[in-house]
Amino acid sequence: MRYRLVVLLAIVQTLLWSTLYADEVPQSEDPFQDEQDQCQITVSSEMLKTLEQSIQAAVKCDENLWSNFLLHYHETQQNLTDCLQRPSDEDAPGASDVFCQQLLDDAQREMEQEHRKHSDELEKQLHAAQQEVQEKHDEKVLLEGQLNRLLNERAELVMDLLLANIAIGDTKQALANYHEFPAKDRTHELHEQIVRSVYRVTIYQDQRLLNLLNFVREIQTTDAKMDLYRLMMGEIQKRPSQRYGPIAAAFALNVKADTTAYNADQQLYTNLMVPLVARWKDQLANGNYKEVISFAAKQPKYYEQMQTDLATVDEAKWANLKFDLFVPYMNSFQKAALRLEALRQVLNQIWTRNKQNSYQRLVLTAKQLDICETFMNRTKNQDKNDRRMLDDLKKEFTKFASGKVYKTYLDASRKPSG
């Protein structure tokens, strides 16, 4: 508004001066020519009263400012024109010019006063507006701070729920909590927090890691899945109790069952499974069954995926195997089906590796099969498939030597040694 008033002032000054000196333009362009006499204007008292009232008219800075200005301008222009057109007073030459100039000066001063008045008002309004803007800005900053605190508190709550649901094994709810985090926040740092939470309480860390495995397998994003698997393997390898035990087996088997992860990085499986299987096979070969049997009892679904490997002796070690220490482990299992499957694996190896010199090992195997049958007879609600498999294993003995059957080797096992 202040700039508009300045422009209007410039316009009225230009127009008023142009009207006042319209007849003063020199006829010659010679810069040394004397100026012609200025016009003399005689102004009547009625004309002065009219002009004075016109000049003193109030001009308000509102929506009618432009209309008021035009009215004021036209009235001033008309009064000055009338002033210039009246004949000069012969007794006071130039008096009319002076008076018209005074009128013009008064008009200019009034416009300047109006300009200053409105400028002051605009400055006050601008200052008030700036204060209001600053207050709004401060309020916005305060609200943003409160919002950020609420968002942080919500994120912390979601994290607590996520970790709690993983800990108790509620995979479905844990996944829902995980997806409450925006995609941009599902970062390596978040995954580190998840994995570290498993180890907060030592006595629960194994079960919580198994729960976390179930959670990770359900994640659909490959990058997130692989990041979590690698973090988990790193933690397992730091702890001998996990690296050489059931947890390593469970982790490796989960990775192998997770086709996406296994195809992306098979070392997640082999780096843990290969040394673990070698360790357990050496234990079984030397009559140490404790870890394998405990694994089978606590994690039967994982053991069943490994039982063929564990019962299969490396070919290079078969000839020097202390068979009398090895074969009894098969009757250490709590389930008849596991015992029978291990015995079947042993009979297959005897057939393929030393059927020409199999008698002594068949005698020891027959003894273990008899122990298994005694165990089954004491077990209530026998499984028909187990009984059928037992009978099939007895028939396997007949193929090694003509005329010799399962009872032949069993009777030999009952004779005193010596």
Side-chain angles (χ1 to χ4, degrees):
M1 181 62 73
R2 182 165 53 188
Y3 296 115
R4 181 179 295 177
L5 290 172
V6 172
V7 172
L8 294 176
L9 178 60
I11 292 172
V12 75
Q13 286 178 335
T14 302
L15 293 174
L16 292 174
W17 279 100
S18 298
T19 304
L20 180 62
Y21 295 106
D23 296 334
E24 296 180 18
V25 179
Q27 300 299 320
S28 171
E29 296 182 358
D30 185 356
F32 300 101
Q33 182 178 344
D34 292 337
E35 294 183 356
Q36 298 179 0
D37 292 338
Q38 303 297 317
C39 69
Q40 295 182 357
I41 303 173
T42 301
V43 181
S44 67
S45 59
E46 291 80 10
M47 178 177 169
L48 290 175
K49 184 177 181 180
T50 302
L51 181 59
E52 182 180 4
Q53 291 175 348
S54 174
I55 292 174
Q56 293 177 353
V59 181
K60 297 183 179 179
C61 185
D62 56 20
E63 57 190 16
N64 296 319
L65 176 62
W66 181 244
S67 299
N68 292 335
F69 169 76
L70 289 177
L71 178 61
H72 191 107
Y73 162 70
H74 285 302
E75 289 176 352
T76 302
Q77 182 187 42
Q78 183 62 47
N79 291 333
L80 289 175
T81 301
D82 293 343
C83 174
L84 291 171
Q85 290 176 351
R86 295 182 67 84
S88 302
D89 188 347
E90 295 179 358
D91 295 334
S96 297
D97 291 348
V98 173
F99 186 74
C100 288
Q101 180 62 47
Q102 290 176 348
L103 290 177
L104 182 60
D105 291 343
D106 289 342
Q108 183 174 352
R109 280 194 297 274
E110 183 176 354
M111 290 295 293
E112 290 175 351
Q113 290 174 357
E114 287 295 316
H115 169 66
R116 285 193 296 272
K117 174 183 177 183
H118 294 303
S119 294
D120 292 343
E121 291 179 357
L122 288 175
E123 286 293 340
K124 293 179 181 178
Q125 293 175 6
L126 177 60
H127 181 67
Q130 288 175 337
Q131 285 185 321
E132 184 177 359
V133 169
Q134 185 62 45
E135 291 174 359
K136 295 297 183 183
H137 177 266
D138 294 343
E139 184 179 353
K140 176 187 175 185
V141 171
L142 178 62
L143 290 174
E144 286 178 345
Q146 293 175 345
L147 176 60
N148 289 333
R149 284 194 296 273
L150 289 173
L151 291 175
N152 290 335
E153 290 175 2
R154 181 184 182 279
E156 291 175 2
L157 178 59
V158 172
M159 173 62 78
D160 290 342
L161 290 172
L162 169 62
L163 300 182
N165 284 312
I166 289 174
I168 65 176
D170 190 343
T171 300
K172 182 178 179 180
Q173 188 57 52
L175 285 169
N177 296 142
Y178 179 75
H179 287 105
E180 286 187 58
F181 288 94
K184 65 180 181 63
D185 293 335
R186 297 177 215 151
T187 60
H188 181 73
E189 289 72 20
L190 174 62
H191 298 154
E192 283 183 323
Q193 285 184 271
I194 293 173
V195 174
R196 283 199 303 268
S197 71
V198 168
Y199 295 95
R200 288 178 181 171
V201 183
T202 303
I203 60 174
Y204 300 132
Q205 64 185 18
D206 287 356
Q207 184 57 52
R208 289 181 176 180
L209 190 69
L210 294 176
N211 294 340
L212 180 57
L213 280 170
N214 295 331
F215 168 78
V216 175
R217 284 188 61 177
E218 296 300 322
I219 292 178
Q220 299 300 312
T221 307
T222 302
D223 290 343
K225 182 192 293 285
M226 299 305 297
D227 190 34
L228 282 162
Y229 274 138
R230 290 183 177 117
L231 287 168
M232 293 169 70
M233 185 174 74
E235 294 297 327
I236 291 171
Q237 289 179 323
K238 292 177 185 177
R239 297 166 171 80
S241 63
Q242 291 188 335
R243 183 170 73 247
Y244 298 119
I247 290 299
F251 177 86
L253 292 170
N254 266 279
V255 169
K256 190 172 184 180
D258 192 338
T259 306
T260 301
Y262 185 72
N263 290 339
D265 188 357
Q266 294 187 14
Q267 288 186 338
L268 291 171
Y269 171 80
T270 58
N271 286 355
L272 291 176
M273 183 58 77
V274 171
L276 178 62
V277 169
R279 170 187 168 85
W280 279 351
K281 280 186 174 184
D282 285 344
Q283 289 180 350
L284 294 177
N286 289 284
N288 182 2
Y289 320 136
K290 183 178 179 180
E291 286 188 21
V292 173
I293 300 305
S294 175
F295 175 56
K298 294 178 179 178
Q299 303 294 336
K301 71 171 185 176
Y302 292 126
Y303 172 78
E304 288 173 7
Q305 298 176 56
M306 297 177 64
Q307 61 183 346
T308 298
D309 264 353
L310 293 175
T312 302
V313 180
D314 295 341
E315 189 170 358
K317 297 179 178 181
W318 178 260
N320 297 320
L321 177 67
K322 296 176 182 179
F323 197 79
D324 57 330
L325 296 178
F326 171 70
V327 74
Y329 98 88
M330 299 163 192
N331 276 311
S332 299
F333 296 110
Q334 297 176 0
K335 294 183 178 181
L338 297 180
R339 298 185 180 200
L340 293 168
E341 177 59 28
L343 287 164
R344 188 181 68 80
Q345 289 293 328
V346 168
L347 284 172
N348 287 341
Q349 290 175 85
I350 295 173
W351 173 253
T352 57
R353 293 176 179 176
N354 62 306
K355 54 183 146 183
Q356 303 300 328
N357 185 24
S358 59
Y359 180 78
Q360 190 58 41
R361 292 185 173 181
L362 288 173
V363 170
L364 294 173
T365 304
K367 179 180 179 179
Q368 295 302 319
L369 188 59
D370 181 61
I371 293 173
C372 180
E373 183 174 13
T374 301
F375 169 77
M376 291 172 62
N377 290 338
R378 292 199 304 263
T379 303
K380 297 179 180 180
N381 301 320
Q382 292 185 33
D383 189 289
K384 293 182 179 179
N385 291 328
D386 292 345
R387 176 56 64 178
R388 188 181 302 110
M389 188 173 183
L390 175 68
D391 294 339
D392 290 341
L393 289 177
K394 289 180 179 180
K395 295 175 183 177
E396 289 290 312
F397 286 83
T398 61
K399 66 182 183 182
F400 287 92
S402 178
K404 293 182 179 180
V405 295
Y406 163 69
K407 192 173 183 308
T408 304
Y409 299 103
L410 179 59
D411 289 343
S413 70
R414 292 171 176 170
K415 293 179 181 180
S417 60

